[in-house]
Amino acid sequence: MSGVRSLDELRALPLVAAIERERWETLAPHVAFVELAPGERLFDAGRASERLFLVVEGELGLDMPAPDGRTVRLQHRGRGQTAGDFAVLNGGAHLVSAVAVRATRVASLPSFAFERLTGIDPDILAHVYDTAATLSRRVTTARAYLELFGVLDDATLAALLDASETRHYRSGDTLFREGDIADGLYVVLSGRLHVETRNADGRATFPGKRRGRERQSHDRRRIAEVEAPESVGELALLAGTTRSATVYAARESTVAHLDRRHFESLIAPRADLLLALSRLVVRRHVDDVADGVLRTPDRNFVVVQLDPRLPLRRFLSQLRVGLRANGDALVLDARAFDTQYGKVGAARIAFDHPFNGAVSEWLDDQEHRHDALVYVADPELTPWTRRAINRADRVLLVANGTLGNDPVRRRIERELEDVLRDRAHRPPIELVLLHPAGTAQPRETRRWLAPRTLDAFHHVRLDDPAHFARLARRLTGRARALVFSGGGARGYAHLGVQRLIEEQKITIDAIGGSSMGALLGASMALGQDARHVGRLSARFASKRALFDYTLPLASMMRSEKLSRFCREVYGDARIEDLWTPFFCVSSNLSDGREVLHASGPLWEAIRSTISLPGVFSPVPTPNGDLLIDGAVLNTFPVDIMHERLGGTGSIVGVNVSEVPERFDYYDFGMSLSGWRVFLSRLNPFRPSIRIPRIVETLLRSTDIKGIGRLNESRAMIDVLIEPDVRDVALLDFKSYARISDIGYSAARDVFAAHGLCEPGECRVPATLIASAATPRASSPTGRRD
C-alpha cells in the first residue's frame, strides 16, 4: 500500500480528522508507517521512547511484565487508538510492551510532530493524557493485585481490573468509618492510609512501641498503617460484619475499590486468594496485640523555604546526596515538574482541573520509581504548594539559622496552618536551621522554637556531609540512637562504649539517658570525646571535689560543689543548641511524674537528673516543683527515645542499672544502731558488723523500681549491651577506668555480633580481658531481628 494511501487513512482517523488538509503538508514528512506481522513487537516495556503511535489498521496488545517473569495482557488498541502515550508525554520509558495481535499498520510520530498536532488541536493532548493516565492506573492496579495475591491467570487479573474502580483521596479524606456496612475491598495503589479504632476504655493513646509521632485523639488509637500493595477492609468482608475501624488517607492516596458483589464472585470462591487476605488479617492482629503499629519509613518530603536568600540549591543538592545512601531521590520544584512532565504550566493545575488525574498518576509513578521524593514548595500557597503538602509525609521548614535572622513566623507558615487545621491527619512539621560552614555551635535556637509548634527540629551545617547524612537518616527512619541507663559508678561502662563507638566511627544520631547515663551522654552530645571525659572522671571520682556535707535537713550534701561541677563541664550550652539531639529525664517529687529535659541549659538538666534523693538537694523549678534523680522513675528511658524516633530507626541501649545485685551476708537483725556499728569497728577483738551504706541503699532503691520495665525496654532495643558490673559498688567512682574497660569489652562482643565493627577489629585484646569481667549474654530482641 502506498504511503499516500496510508496518510489518507491516518487523516481519516477520528482523533486527527479535525486537522485541516493544508496543515498535513508540514506534518507529513515526519510521519512514518510501520507494518507488523502477528506477534511482532512495536516497542518493549522499559525502553525509552519519544514517539507516539496511532493504529491505522489491525490491533495491538499491551503486555506488562509480571513479577514471576510472565507477561500479562492489560489492554488492546484498535483502529484510531494511540500507543506509547505515557512515554511521549514524559520522555521516559514505556510502561508496557506493544505486540501485534494480527497484521497491523501503525503511524509513528516523533515528539515534535506530536507537539505540533496538540498545538493545532488541544483535544489530541487531552486524549493522550487520558489514555496515558488510564494505562498507568491499570498497570499500577495490576502490579498491586499480583503482589497482593501472587500468581494470577490472565482471565482472573483482567476480571479484577475491569471490576475495580480507581478512587483518589486527598490527605485527611475518610475511606470508611467504624460501624459502616462493608461495601467492598480497598487495595492501596499509592499513598498511605491510617487505620484507627476506638479505645475500649476511652483512655488517651499516645505513641508507643512502633507507634507514629503525633498524639492521637483521646478516644481513638491507630492499629495499622497501610501502603501499596496492601488491602484494607477485608476483615469485614471475610467475617460478614460491619467495619471494625475507621480508615483515612494520611496523604494523597490512590485506591482500587472492588465492590462487595465482585469480591464475592471473583475472590470469595478462590481459596488461594482468600488465604493471602487471611494472612494479612492475622499479621495485623499480631501487631495490634503486641501494641505494635509498624511505622513505614517516610518517602515524600516537602521543603518550604522561609528565607528568600536561603542557599536553597546548595541545601537541596547536599540533601539529595545524603538521601542517596537509602536509594535514589528525585527533587521536584514547580519548574522541574513542568520540564519532566512535558507541559508548561502543569504545576499550576488545581485539584478540580480536568488534567488533575493525569498529574496525580504521573506523580504516583514517580513515587514507584524513586526511593524518595523531595517536593520544593513555592514561596506562596500556590496550587503546586497545595499539591506538594497534600502528598507530604513530612514538611520541612528550612530557614537560615545564623544570629540576627528574624525568627518570626512567616506568612507561608500561617497559610499552611490554615490548610492543615481541620484535616484528620496533619503531616509532621519540622524545622531545619541551616548554619554556615565553619559554625562551631548553634546559638539562640529557642528564639526559633518559641513561636512555633513543631514535631522536631534539625541543625545542619552547610557543606558538611556528615550533617546531611544525619538529616537524611532522621528523615527516612534510619537514625541510630544511643540510650545510657543510670547506675551510679557502674555508669562508667558507658564511657567504654563511647570509646569503641569513636574508634569504629559508628554514627550516632541522637542520645538520651538518665542519671549517670545522662551525665556521660550529655558530654558525648556536646562533642567531648572519651579521652576528655576520662580526664573529667578523675575529678568526679574525688569525694572532696563533689561532697559538701551539711546538716541533713533536706539532703546530706549542700550540693554547691555538684552544681559548680556541672556548670564547669557543660558551660552555657543549651540542649536545643546541640548538633546531636539529646534528652534526659528527672523525677518530679511533687506530682510523681517523669520530666523530660529536651531544651534549656544543659548543666541544669544534668544537675536535676543526678540529684540522688536524700544525698543531693532537689532542684526547685520556677513553678514550685522539686526535681530529683531521673532513675527514680525511669532509669533506662528507651521508651522516650523510641517515641522521639517516631517508632523507626534503631536504638543502641547500654544498661548497667537494672541488674541483679550481690550483697554481703548481713546479720544485724530487725533493728540497726549506728552507734553499735561504730563501736564494733573500734573493737579489734570482734568482727565489725557488716551493713549496707546509706548512699548505696538509696541508689539501689532507684534501680529496683525499673526492673519490671526492662523487658518492655528490651523489645524496643535493636542492640543491647549489658556489661557484667554486679561486682562494682554503686559508689566506686574511683574505679572509673576499670569500669570503662568492662563496658568496652562488652560492647566489642555485641558490636561484633551485629556487624558494627570493621572486620577483624572486634576481637578483645588479651590485656583488656584480664581486667574485665565476662559480659553477660546480651542479645537484641528488637523489632527487625
Side-chain angles (χ1 to χ4, degrees), residues 203-362:
R203 292 184 298 125
T205 299
F206 299 115
K209 188 175 75 169
R210 296 181 186 159
R211 201 169 293 280
R213 277 173 297 271
E214 72 276 7
R215 294 191 172 193
Q216 301 173 56
S217 172
H218 71 282
D219 62 344
R220 308 198 65 80
R221 70 185 183 97
R222 189 180 314 156
I223 60 174
E225 286 189 358
V226 183
E227 283 197 322
E230 288 188 275
S231 67
V232 67
E234 66 285 326
L235 181 59
L237 290 171
L238 294 172
T241 60
T242 57
R243 299 295 189 191
S244 59
T246 296
V247 177
Y248 62 88
R251 57 178 167 90
E252 184 174 342
S253 302
T254 303
V255 174
H257 178 255
L258 187 69
D259 64 34
R260 187 185 191 108
R261 179 173 62 86
H262 286 103
F263 176 86
E264 292 176 347
S265 63
L266 296 175
I267 294 179
R270 293 278 298 271
D272 55 335
L273 305 187
L274 288 177
L275 180 60
L277 292 179
S278 299
R279 286 172 175 164
L280 185 62
V281 171
V282 171
R283 192 190 75 213
R284 286 185 184 148
H285 176 71
V286 170
D287 279 344
D288 186 26
V289 170
D291 192 27
V293 178
L294 185 61
R295 279 280 301 148
T296 306
D298 292 338
R299 298 173 53 203
N300 284 8
F301 310 101
V302 176
V303 171
V304 179
Q305 179 180 357
L306 298 188
D307 299 321
R309 295 184 179 181
L310 194 76
L312 186 61
R313 288 182 180 274
R314 284 170 64 195
F315 169 75
L316 293 171
S317 175
Q318 294 175 39
L319 175 60
R320 185 178 181 183
V321 172
L323 290 170
R324 280 178 183 166
N326 197 42
D328 183 36
L330 175 65
V331 178
L332 285 177
D333 59 10
R335 180 180 295 181
F337 171 74
D338 283 356
T339 300
Q340 297 195 39
Y341 188 68
K343 178 178 173 59
V344 176
R348 295 193 295 271
I349 291 175
F351 291 121
D352 56 356
H353 193 280
F355 283 163
N356 177 63
V359 171
S360 295
E361 290 293 339
W362 188 90

Side-chain angles (χ1 to χ4, degrees), residues 36 158 210 240 245 253 270 493 611-612 619 670 677 710:
L36 299 172
R210 296 181 186 159
S253 302
R270 293 278 298 271
S611 297
L612 182 64
V619 175
M670 299 299 291
V677 174
L710 181 56

Side-chain angles (χ1 to χ4, degrees), residues 548 555 557-564 607 615-617:
D548 45 5
S555 61
M557 306 297 168
R558 183 180 177 186
S559 306
E560 182 178 348
K561 288 184 177 180
L562 179 63
S563 299
R564 187 187 306 123
R607 170 67 176 83
V615 179
F616 297 110
S617 60

Side-chain angles (χ1 to χ4, degrees), residues 529-550:
D529 60 23
R531 187 181 298 274
H532 177 80
V533 178
R535 290 194 296 267
L536 292 174
S537 300
R539 181 180 168 192
F540 194 78
S542 170
K543 292 182 179 180
R544 289 186 178 182
L546 295 179
F547 286 11
D548 45 5
Y549 290 93
T550 186

